Structure formats: structure tokens, C-alpha cells
Amino acid sequence: LKWETAAGPDISVFFSHAAAGDIHPELVVHGTKGTLHWSFQSHWEIRPEDAAPVRHEIPAAIEMRRAMVRQLVEKVGHPETPVYTPRQALAQVQAAALAHGQLSIQSIDRSLVHCPRTNDESGEVQEWLAVKDLEAIGRRFLNGEPVDLAAAVCEKVTV
């Protein structure tokens, strides 16, 4: 999806549950004086135009969850403890609802779907449906290349 916002910045997102493997979320903000890059469970980095980049490592997911639980427990005993509110998530929810309401869902040819299998951290077998070349198409889109998803992925789109 690509949104043109009334406030000025364009927002491009590509997400799916039909990729062949895990691709963690990334956020890149291009500003007038530099770039901010955040990579899920990895790092954030500020890249100013006129100074050296500043990088900070992010704790692993389990540590982030523990910190979240600690903060929630703290909130119970101390109501002034800051936590994110539903109001702060409202814009993201509205954007998803808008996209869902205005885009049609299309089926793709079964020959373009495969079922990868892996073992998760606990050894359980995980199996899901994945679309051929979806990750590469997403990266091209996020790099600003024009992508017609139906033409790029689907030789035949069935409705």
C-alpha cells in the first residue's frame, strides 16, 4: 500500500502472511536532515546528513516482552506510569480499515503457492502457505520501483 497523507509525507507499506520465511518489520523515515531506520528485534539508527550515524541495539523479543509486562505491573501500582493507549493506535487501525474497505481481495493461481515447513524455537513443525517471489516483489516496491503485484506474481489471477 502507498498512502499520500494530508500532512505531507507518503507512507509505503508491504506486509503479508504469505511469505516463504520470516522477514522482520523495518521502518525507514526519510526526513529533510537525515534518515531514521528501525529494524525489529535488531537496532535503530539515526543517519544525519551532516554527522556520523548513531546506532543502538534493541533487546531480543523475549526481553522486550518482559519489559512490557514489568511496565504493566508497574502501571497497576502507579497509575502515572506511562503506557501506550488505544488512542495512540487509532491512526494505524483507521489506515488498515480504510485499505481493507477499498481494496478487493483476489485469488491467485494455485501453482504459485507452496507450503514451506520449518521448526520453530521449541522444535514444533510449522507449515504455512507462501506465494512465489513475494519477498522480492515487496522489496522492489519498498525501494520505489513500480510493481503490479498481479502481473509480477500471478500469471493468472482468478476472481
Side-chain angles (χ1 to χ4, degrees):
L1 299 173
K2 184 171 186 172
W3 283 282
E4 294 178 5
T5 67
D10 292 342
I11 300 170
S12 297
V13 297
F14 188 90
F15 44 88
S16 176
H17 288 283
D22 284 342
I23 300 174
H24 294 298
E26 292 185 49
L27 174 68
V28 180
V29 179
H30 299 283
T32 57
K33 296 185 178 185
T35 303
L36 168 70
H37 178 246
W38 170 82
S39 184
F40 179 71
Q41 295 187 25
S42 175
H43 68 278
W44 60 259
E45 184 174 70
I46 298 173
R47 300 174 190 152
E49 282 184 351
D50 56 357
V54 175
R55 183 180 172 111
H56 181 74
E57 300 303 314
I58 296 173
I62 189 70
E63 291 305 317
M64 298 295 280
R65 287 188 191 105
R66 287 179 181 143
M68 181 182 67
V69 170
R70 280 193 301 271
Q71 190 163 4
L72 288 172
V73 170
E74 177 74 16
K75 178 76 170 175
V76 171
H78 301 91
E80 70 279 0
T81 299
V83 295
Y84 287 106
T85 66
R87 178 170 294 287
Q88 290 170 303
L90 186 58
Q92 178 183 352
V93 172
Q94 288 172 325
L98 179 64
H100 183 71
Q102 294 194 8
L103 299 173
S104 63
I105 296 173
Q106 298 180 356
S107 299
I108 63 169
D109 188 87
R110 203 175 254 303
S111 67
L112 299 172
V113 177
H114 60 104
C115 298
R117 300 180 88 184
T118 61
N119 291 358
D120 66 14
E121 310 85 45
S122 63
E124 298 269 336
V125 173
Q126 300 293 314
E127 185 174 25
W128 63 97
L129 298 177
V131 176
K132 178 182 114 183
D133 298 330
L134 192 59
E135 300 91 336
I137 293 164
R139 295 229 181 263
R140 287 199 323 259
F141 168 75
L142 292 173
N143 286 331
E145 298 173 35
V147 173
D148 177 350
L149 187 59
V153 174
C154 314
E155 289 93 24
K156 176 167 70 174
V157 175
T158 57
V159 180

